[in-house]
Amino acid sequence: MTIHNLGLNDSILNQFMAEMRDIYVQNDRMRFRRNIERIGEIIAYEISKTLNYHTIDVQTPLGLQPVSVPCDRIVLATILRAGLPFHQGFLSYFDKADNAFISASRKYNENHSAFTIELGYLSSPSIDGKVLIIIDPMLATGSSLDLAYQTLLKRGEPSRIHVACVIAGKQGVETVTRIFPEKITTIWAGAIDPKLNDKAYIVPGLGDAGDLAYGEKM
């Protein structure tokens, strides 16, 4: 399985990541959402290099020009709610893609010491034979991603799988490498952080991406 940690390379992505992590910049929700979207655009561009292409003839005002364009059928599958701006970044580039949405959330026990993952909503086209891009901004334990993937498999078998996240924890990456099919799966991350805290949040991470993007929930 190939793992791309894009933050290891010097690029503008790291500027967006720095602003998202910075507690003094995080209060600007619009900027936070836009930075998630920008990172989605960057990862989408990188994924586009791995697609299959074919040549079409484009009629210009002055003649015909052969152009190589993607020919894969793509499904963007996003885990709500922090995934929404991330999804938009991908959709800006893969504007002809089909779209799937999954609601997966943590259900904590009374003392907040443990949680289970609950799936509340799925809207998805067939993914059979298509390139599946699973979009989850924060890959912590990997439990919600695993549940979302198992649910999506009810819609068919993809030809390739790309797991895209803004920040991944090492544990989440290990979960994906253990569960997802090795030969067809690639992980893309803006950064990979070393550990999780006792609440299973990524450290140093950036906090709760959903709350930072859209406000605290009850």
Side-chain angles (χ1 to χ4, degrees):
M1 185 176 296
T2 304
I3 302 170
H4 295 282
N5 182 355
L6 300 179
L8 295 178
N9 303 316
D10 289 338
S11 77
I12 194 62
L13 177 146
N14 287 332
Q15 175 65 44
F16 306 147
M17 189 69 70
E19 292 178 2
M20 292 177 64
R21 291 187 190 266
D22 191 328
I23 59 173
Y24 301 107
V25 182
Q26 286 183 344
N27 290 331
D28 186 343
R29 289 182 190 170
M30 182 178 290
R31 188 162 193 85
F32 187 86
R33 292 193 300 269
R34 179 60 183 127
N35 281 335
I36 291 182
E37 186 177 345
R38 286 166 163 170
I39 292 173
E41 291 170 352
I42 291 170
I43 298 178
Y45 174 73
E46 294 297 326
I47 290 176
S48 76
K49 299 176 185 178
T50 72
L51 300 175
N52 294 307
Y53 284 74
H54 66 169
T55 301
I56 63 172
D57 289 328
V58 177
Q59 180 68 59
T60 81
L62 301 176
L64 283 177
Q65 174 61 45
V67 181
S68 182
V69 296
C71 57
D72 288 318
R73 296 175 299 162
I74 297 172
V75 175
L76 305 176
T78 294
I79 298 178
L80 305 174
R81 62 180 168 148
L84 288 172
F86 203 30
H87 183 99
Q88 185 57 49
F90 281 86
L91 194 58
S92 293
Y93 278 45
F94 299 132
D95 57 296
K96 297 178 181 177
D98 289 330
N99 297 268
F101 296 94
I102 308 111
S103 172
S105 60
R106 296 180 177 186
K107 179 72 172 180
Y108 285 91
N109 60 11
E110 288 186 2
N111 60 11
H112 227 65
S113 61
F115 64 88
T116 57
I117 301 297
E118 290 190 347
L119 186 71
Y121 175 81
L122 170 67
S123 175
S124 175
S126 169
I127 63 171
D128 204 47
K130 299 178 183 178
V131 175
L132 176 65
I133 303 177
I134 305 180
I135 300 165
D136 189 6
M138 306 299 289
L139 177 58
T141 66
S143 298
S144 60
L145 190 71
D146 177 28
L147 181 59
Y149 170 59
Q150 299 303 328
T151 303
L152 284 165
L153 287 179
K154 297 175 183 178
R155 301 294 193 268
E157 293 283 345
S159 60
R160 285 219 39 99
I161 302 169
H162 296 279
V163 174
C165 50
V166 175
I167 300 178
K170 184 178 178 183
Q171 182 178 332
V173 171
E174 291 172 350
T175 298
V176 172
T177 57
R178 184 176 69 255
I179 293 172
F180 282 63
E182 179 180 1
K183 291 183 178 180
I184 65 169
T185 303
T186 303
I187 299 173
W188 303 82
I192 299 177
D193 287 358
K195 60 182 180 180
L196 306 180
N197 64 13
D198 58 356
K199 303 297 184 184
Y201 280 94
I202 300 171
V203 177
L206 51 73
D208 190 307
D211 287 357
L212 291 167
Y214 296 110
E216 294 183 4
K217 55 189 176 295
M218 295 181 65

